[in-house]
Amino acid sequence: MTDKIKVGDYLIVQRQKYTKLQKFNNSNTTVNLGKDQIELRLAENQPYFTTFHLVPKQERGKRIYTLDALSTPSEIRNLKELLIKESGNDNRNIIDDRQSQALSTEEILKLREECESSSEVIGKLVENSKSFATKTEYSQEKYLKRKEKKYFEYITIRRPSIRLLTDIYWRLDPEKVLGVRSDTLSQIISYSGVCGIGNYLLYESGTNGLLPAAMLNSIGAETGGKLVHLHPGNVAQKQALLAMDFPAEQQARCVSVNIYSVLRHFYQDKEAANENDTPEPNLDIKDDPAGVELVEEVNGTNKRKHNKTEDGTTEGEPEVKQLKVDKQKQTWELENEAAASIMGEKFDSLVIVAKEHPHSILKALLPFVKPSRPVVIFSTCREILTECYVDMKAEASVTYLRVSSNWMRQYQILPNRTHPDVTMSGSSGYLLTGYTIGN
């Protein structure tokens, strides 16, 4: 992880309050912000958190921009200080008749092409507005913010973080992260007790890698913590994991496997180990002449056994079958073995974030959790968690069970205008938490 922007990184492109996740694939990568197309070529090898000025390219009919790094952020002009000179007492005499702006649409488009900065365009709009000087100071600020949002010519490139990724995913589509909001994610991390020591088990069925990225971020680099990430599909969703750009050793401690495959692998290995531990019956075998086949009865079935020749191969068996034994294992098989070995050591917490009913998943994974360890289950439906609550209460497998819900309210903080936001999300789901009981 470096402090410079390089090809292959995931970037957070911010314009005012709007943020967008973009992968810097190559030097020809562009990012679209509304109708504006921005080339990222000149951002390479620049430090993160650099503010860039959008320089328009001379291509008529297209809003294409290149980047010019600012030496100091103070170069961004404060429009409030520049343009607000006098204000009215109230807006009672202002009539919205669409005639207050003297410039036509064609003249405004021509201004955008001729002016070097957005502040000049906004200044021309203010000069040709008949009602701007009679508006109150609050109305003038709102007018300037609306125009600045439309003509703003600066962007900042930031390094991805868990908070920024959560806000971006939530704003785009809450269902893509199963309804997990930033405050709910922080509660999940807090209740599960994830830290740099211990093994942690996570099952999630599609959050774009946000949950494993958040837990791996809490585990930290160069620690002893390990994370087993279970998912129901063939390939795990890892966009947020890749965007965080964790060190290689930290990524190696996150094992992503299919839940059905790893459970089958674990129990098959356990059965094989139990069979190897059972003593084999002693069979009295008489001396047979060389080259004669032996027939032995094992578990009620007759199996034909061939004598070995001098070169070590067996008679009557083709050499192709012996080559199949040395076949190289695939990546998913190695990941299953790594996850199964950690499952044998058991885990220090269990987190389930699923779109399906979590009861059967909880039944299958609860035996792998150590006693007195936290269990956290998230669902957007309270009734589903209530069913799990009743079942675990009856079985007495988990104690201190609690069902909780977060309700976060956002506020606008401005002088003499502090109030809750007009539109905001309500509940972002429910959490069922508890602690395991030893047998």
Side-chain angles (χ1 to χ4, degrees):
M1 184 182 296
T2 61
D3 294 332
K4 301 284 187 179
I5 300 171
K6 63 181 185 299
V7 175
D9 288 353
Y10 280 86
L11 313 175
I12 300 289
V13 182
Q14 180 177 3
R15 176 193 272 182
Q16 291 185 316
K17 294 183 179 180
Y18 179 78
T19 52
K20 183 176 182 179
L21 179 65
Q22 177 71 34
K23 186 176 182 180
F24 194 9
N25 291 311
N26 49 59
S27 58
N28 296 324
T29 301
T30 59
V31 57
N32 294 321
L33 298 180
K35 297 181 179 180
D36 299 335
Q37 187 175 354
I38 303 169
E39 297 178 351
L40 299 178
R41 181 176 62 256
L42 298 179
E44 187 177 359
N45 296 324
Q46 293 287 344
Y48 279 100
F49 299 96
T50 300
T51 300
F52 296 90
H53 177 245
L54 302 182
V55 181
K57 296 183 71 175
Q58 299 299 327
E59 294 188 21
R60 191 169 185 83
K62 295 183 179 180
R63 293 163 61 173
I64 303 177
Y65 299 88
T66 58
L67 299 179
D68 181 24
L70 297 181
S71 57
T72 57
S74 60
E75 294 182 29
I76 302 177
R77 299 177 178 88
N78 190 344
L79 296 179
K80 179 181 175 181
E81 298 177 356
L82 291 175
L83 301 177
I84 298 181
K85 299 177 181 178
E86 57 177 345
S87 305
N89 295 325
D90 53 49
N91 297 332
R92 69 177 68 183
N93 297 322
I94 298 176
I95 301 175
D96 188 10
D97 55 358
R98 305 288 181 177
Q99 303 295 327
S100 59
Q101 182 55 251
L103 297 176
S104 62
T105 305
E106 292 75 12
E107 292 174 336
I108 295 175
L109 293 176
K110 190 176 180 181
L111 275 177
R112 295 193 65 173
E113 296 178 359
E114 294 177 352
C115 294
E116 296 181 355
S117 63
S118 60
S119 58
E120 294 181 15
V121 178
I122 299 174
K124 293 290 184 180
L125 294 175
V126 170
E127 291 177 7
N128 291 274
S129 176
K130 301 176 183 177
S131 60
F132 183 82
T134 59
K135 291 181 178 181
T136 62
E137 184 179 356
Y138 298 149
S139 298
Q140 290 175 341
E141 289 183 16
K142 289 176 66 175
Y143 178 87
L144 292 177
K145 282 186 177 180
R146 188 166 64 251
K147 296 302 178 183
E148 187 180 20
K149 182 179 180 181
K150 185 175 182 179
Y151 301 107
F152 196 71
E153 55 184 353
Y154 301 97
I155 64 169
T156 302
I157 296 182
R158 307 178 63 177
R159 186 192 300 278
S161 65
I162 297 298
R163 183 184 63 83
L164 290 174
L165 291 175
T166 307
D167 293 340
I168 290 173
Y169 287 140
W170 176 266
R171 188 189 69 248
L172 292 177
D173 188 0
E175 294 182 0
K176 292 295 181 67
V177 289
L178 302 182
V180 178
R181 202 170 52 194
S182 57
D183 57 319
T184 307
L185 180 61
S186 64
Q187 291 291 311
I188 292 174
I189 299 299
S190 178
Y191 279 125
S192 60
V194 181
C195 60
I197 303 173
N199 303 327
Y200 303 96
L201 183 59
L202 165 68
Y203 174 84
E204 59 94 17
S205 55
T207 60
N208 282 321
L210 183 61
L211 261 298
M215 295 185 69
L216 194 61
N217 183 67
S218 298
I219 290 175
E222 299 181 358
T223 60
K226 297 178 182 179
L227 174 65
V228 175
H229 170 214
L230 304 180
H231 57 88
N234 295 328
V235 180
Q237 297 182 4
K238 291 186 175 182
Q239 187 184 40
L241 269 173
L242 298 175
M244 289 298 296
D245 192 22
F246 292 116
E249 65 86 19
Q250 189 175 357
Q251 292 185 18
R253 287 185 279 116
C254 176
V255 185
S256 299
V257 290
N258 178 274
I259 181 172
Y260 311 106
S261 178
V262 72
L263 288 177
R264 182 171 59 251
H265 182 92
F266 177 82
Y267 287 113
Q268 285 178 352
D269 285 356
K270 189 175 181 181
E271 291 177 1
N274 293 335
E275 290 179 0
N276 294 334
D277 292 341
T278 57
E280 297 182 356
N282 295 326
L283 300 176
D284 295 333
I285 302 176
K286 299 180 180 180
D287 295 332
D288 295 320
V292 178
E293 297 178 351
L294 299 178
V295 178
E296 59 179 353
E297 185 175 346
V298 180
N299 295 332
T301 60
N302 294 330
K303 293 186 177 179
R304 190 174 299 275
K305 184 177 180 181
H306 302 283
N307 289 334
K308 292 186 177 180
T309 59
E310 294 180 357
D311 59 353
T313 61
T314 57
E315 297 177 354
E317 183 178 358
E319 297 181 0
V320 179
K321 292 184 179 180
Q322 294 181 355
L323 295 176
K324 290 183 179 180
V325 179
D326 299 331
K327 180 182 176 182
Q328 187 176 5
K329 293 183 179 180
Q330 298 183 10
T331 304
W332 65 270
E333 294 177 317
L334 297 175
E335 291 176 345
N336 280 344
E337 291 179 359
S341 63
I342 301 175
M343 293 171 72
E345 303 173 4
K346 294 197 172 183
F347 296 94
D348 293 285
S349 72
L350 170 63
V351 178
I352 298 176
V353 180
K355 63 178 69 174
E356 60 267 31
H357 201 297
H359 183 261
S360 59
I361 302 170
L362 178 65
K363 288 283 189 181
L365 300 182
L366 200 57
F368 298 100
V369 185
K370 298 177 183 178
S372 302
R373 296 299 191 273
V375 176
V376 182
I377 306 173
F378 171 84
S379 178
T380 55
C381 183
R382 181 178 58 184
E383 287 73 18
I384 290 178
L385 295 184
T386 304
E387 294 177 9
C388 296
Y389 177 94
V390 173
D391 291 338
M392 286 191 289
K393 200 79 171 177
E395 296 176 1
S397 57
V398 180
T399 187
Y400 200 68
L401 289 168
R402 296 288 185 274
V403 178
S404 60
S405 175
N406 288 331
W407 193 76
M408 182 177 67
R409 193 168 192 179
Q410 297 176 340
Y411 281 81
Q412 170 187 288
I413 307 298
L414 290 173
N416 301 323
R417 288 169 288 166
T418 299
H419 61 77
D421 285 350
V422 178
T423 57
M424 68 184 77
S425 60
S427 173
S428 67
Y430 301 87
L431 290 176
L432 173 61
T433 59
Y435 292 87
T436 57
I437 300 176
N439 294 329

PDB file of all heavy atoms in Angstrom, residues 32-37 62-65:
ATOM      1  N   ASN A  32     -17.129   9.063 -15.238  1.00  0.00           N
ATOM      2  CA  ASN A  32     -18.273   9.903 -15.592  1.00  0.00           C
ATOM      3  C   ASN A  32     -18.939  10.429 -14.335  1.00  0.00           C
ATOM      4  O   ASN A  32     -19.381   9.642 -13.484  1.00  0.00           O
ATOM      5  CB  ASN A  32     -19.278   9.101 -16.428  1.00  0.00           C
ATOM      6  CG  ASN A  32     -18.717   8.697 -17.776  1.00  0.00           C
ATOM      7  OD1 ASN A  32     -18.008   9.457 -18.412  1.00  0.00           O
ATOM      8  ND2 ASN A  32     -19.020   7.486 -18.214  1.00  0.00           N
ATOM      9  N   LEU A  33     -19.001  11.745 -14.214  1.00  0.00           N
ATOM     10  CA  LEU A  33     -19.715  12.408 -13.121  1.00  0.00           C
ATOM     11  C   LEU A  33     -20.846  13.211 -13.744  1.00  0.00           C
ATOM     12  O   LEU A  33     -20.627  14.314 -14.256  1.00  0.00           O
ATOM     13  CB  LEU A  33     -18.784  13.320 -12.323  1.00  0.00           C
ATOM     14  CG  LEU A  33     -17.597  12.645 -11.619  1.00  0.00           C
ATOM     15  CD1 LEU A  33     -16.768  13.679 -10.881  1.00  0.00           C
ATOM     16  CD2 LEU A  33     -18.076  11.567 -10.656  1.00  0.00           C
ATOM     17  N   GLY A  34     -22.031  12.641 -13.741  1.00  0.00           N
ATOM     18  CA  GLY A  34     -23.139  13.273 -14.439  1.00  0.00           C
ATOM     19  C   GLY A  34     -22.895  13.247 -15.935  1.00  0.00           C
ATOM     20  O   GLY A  34     -22.634  12.207 -16.533  1.00  0.00           O
ATOM     21  N   LYS A  35     -22.942  14.416 -16.564  1.00  0.00           N
ATOM     22  CA  LYS A  35     -22.663  14.529 -17.994  1.00  0.00           C
ATOM     23  C   LYS A  35     -21.203  14.823 -18.290  1.00  0.00           C
ATOM     24  O   LYS A  35     -20.814  14.903 -19.454  1.00  0.00           O
ATOM     25  CB  LYS A  35     -23.533  15.634 -18.604  1.00  0.00           C
ATOM     26  CG  LYS A  35     -25.031  15.354 -18.519  1.00  0.00           C
ATOM     27  CD  LYS A  35     -25.819  16.484 -19.166  1.00  0.00           C
ATOM     28  CE  LYS A  35     -27.316  16.209 -19.101  1.00  0.00           C
ATOM     29  NZ  LYS A  35     -28.113  17.309 -19.721  1.00  0.00           N
ATOM     30  N   ASP A  36     -20.391  14.964 -17.239  1.00  0.00           N
ATOM     31  CA  ASP A  36     -18.974  15.284 -17.423  1.00  0.00           C
ATOM     32  C   ASP A  36     -18.142  14.006 -17.482  1.00  0.00           C
ATOM     33  O   ASP A  36     -18.322  13.090 -16.659  1.00  0.00           O
ATOM     34  CB  ASP A  36     -18.469  16.170 -16.283  1.00  0.00           C
ATOM     35  CG  ASP A  36     -19.207  17.497 -16.227  1.00  0.00           C
ATOM     36  OD1 ASP A  36     -19.715  17.920 -17.281  1.00  0.00           O
ATOM     37  OD2 ASP A  36     -19.284  18.089 -15.134  1.00  0.00           O
ATOM     38  N   GLN A  37     -17.227  13.953 -18.424  1.00  0.00           N
ATOM     39  CA  GLN A  37     -16.308  12.827 -18.580  1.00  0.00           C
ATOM     40  C   GLN A  37     -14.900  13.311 -18.252  1.00  0.00           C
ATOM     41  O   GLN A  37     -14.387  14.230 -18.889  1.00  0.00           O
ATOM     42  CB  GLN A  37     -16.376  12.273 -20.005  1.00  0.00           C
ATOM     43  CG  GLN A  37     -15.571  11.007 -20.214  1.00  0.00           C
ATOM     44  CD  GLN A  37     -15.762  10.419 -21.599  1.00  0.00           C
ATOM     45  OE1 GLN A  37     -16.582  10.902 -22.367  1.00  0.00           O
ATOM     46  NE2 GLN A  37     -14.984   9.406 -21.941  1.00  0.00           N
ATOM     47  N   LYS A  62     -18.869  18.020 -26.506  1.00  0.00           N
ATOM     48  CA  LYS A  62     -18.553  17.020 -25.484  1.00  0.00           C
ATOM     49  C   LYS A  62     -17.942  17.715 -24.281  1.00  0.00           C
ATOM     50  O   LYS A  62     -17.111  18.600 -24.418  1.00  0.00           O
ATOM     51  CB  LYS A  62     -17.575  15.979 -26.030  1.00  0.00           C
ATOM     52  CG  LYS A  62     -18.140  15.132 -27.147  1.00  0.00           C
ATOM     53  CD  LYS A  62     -17.128  14.077 -27.580  1.00  0.00           C
ATOM     54  CE  LYS A  62     -17.678  13.205 -28.690  1.00  0.00           C
ATOM     55  NZ  LYS A  62     -16.705  12.171 -29.118  1.00  0.00           N
ATOM     56  N   ARG A  63     -18.356  17.284 -23.101  1.00  0.00           N
ATOM     57  CA  ARG A  63     -17.836  17.850 -21.850  1.00  0.00           C
ATOM     58  C   ARG A  63     -16.777  16.910 -21.314  1.00  0.00           C
ATOM     59  O   ARG A  63     -17.015  16.113 -20.406  1.00  0.00           O
ATOM     60  CB  ARG A  63     -18.984  18.067 -20.873  1.00  0.00           C
ATOM     61  CG  ARG A  63     -19.947  19.152 -21.346  1.00  0.00           C
ATOM     62  CD  ARG A  63     -21.279  19.118 -20.654  1.00  0.00           C
ATOM     63  NE  ARG A  63     -21.190  19.326 -19.222  1.00  0.00           N
ATOM     64  CZ  ARG A  63     -22.245  19.473 -18.418  1.00  0.00           C
ATOM     65  NH1 ARG A  63     -23.469  19.463 -18.937  1.00  0.00           N
ATOM     66  NH2 ARG A  63     -22.096  19.636 -17.137  1.00  0.00           N
ATOM     67  N   ILE A  64     -15.578  16.991 -21.903  1.00  0.00           N
ATOM     68  CA  ILE A  64     -14.445  16.158 -21.520  1.00  0.00           C
ATOM     69  C   ILE A  64     -13.415  17.038 -20.826  1.00  0.00           C
ATOM     70  O   ILE A  64     -13.104  18.135 -21.289  1.00  0.00           O
ATOM     71  CB  ILE A  64     -13.827  15.455 -22.746  1.00  0.00           C
ATOM     72  CG1 ILE A  64     -14.887  14.613 -23.459  1.00  0.00           C
ATOM     73  CG2 ILE A  64     -12.653  14.586 -22.326  1.00  0.00           C
ATOM     74  CD1 ILE A  64     -14.378  13.939 -24.710  1.00  0.00           C
ATOM     75  N   TYR A  65     -12.886  16.541 -19.704  1.00  0.00           N
ATOM     76  CA  TYR A  65     -11.962  17.335 -18.890  1.00  0.00           C
ATOM     77  C   TYR A  65     -10.698  16.527 -18.608  1.00  0.00           C
ATOM     78  O   TYR A  65     -10.724  15.296 -18.511  1.00  0.00           O
ATOM     79  CB  TYR A  65     -12.604  17.732 -17.552  1.00  0.00           C
ATOM     80  CG  TYR A  65     -13.851  18.587 -17.695  1.00  0.00           C
ATOM     81  CD1 TYR A  65     -15.106  17.991 -17.833  1.00  0.00           C
ATOM     82  CD2 TYR A  65     -13.781  19.971 -17.681  1.00  0.00           C
ATOM     83  CE1 TYR A  65     -16.247  18.761 -17.958  1.00  0.00           C
ATOM     84  CE2 TYR A  65     -14.924  20.751 -17.808  1.00  0.00           C
ATOM     85  CZ  TYR A  65     -16.152  20.135 -17.948  1.00  0.00           C
ATOM     86  OH  TYR A  65     -17.277  20.896 -18.075  1.00  0.00           O
TER      87      TYR A  65
END
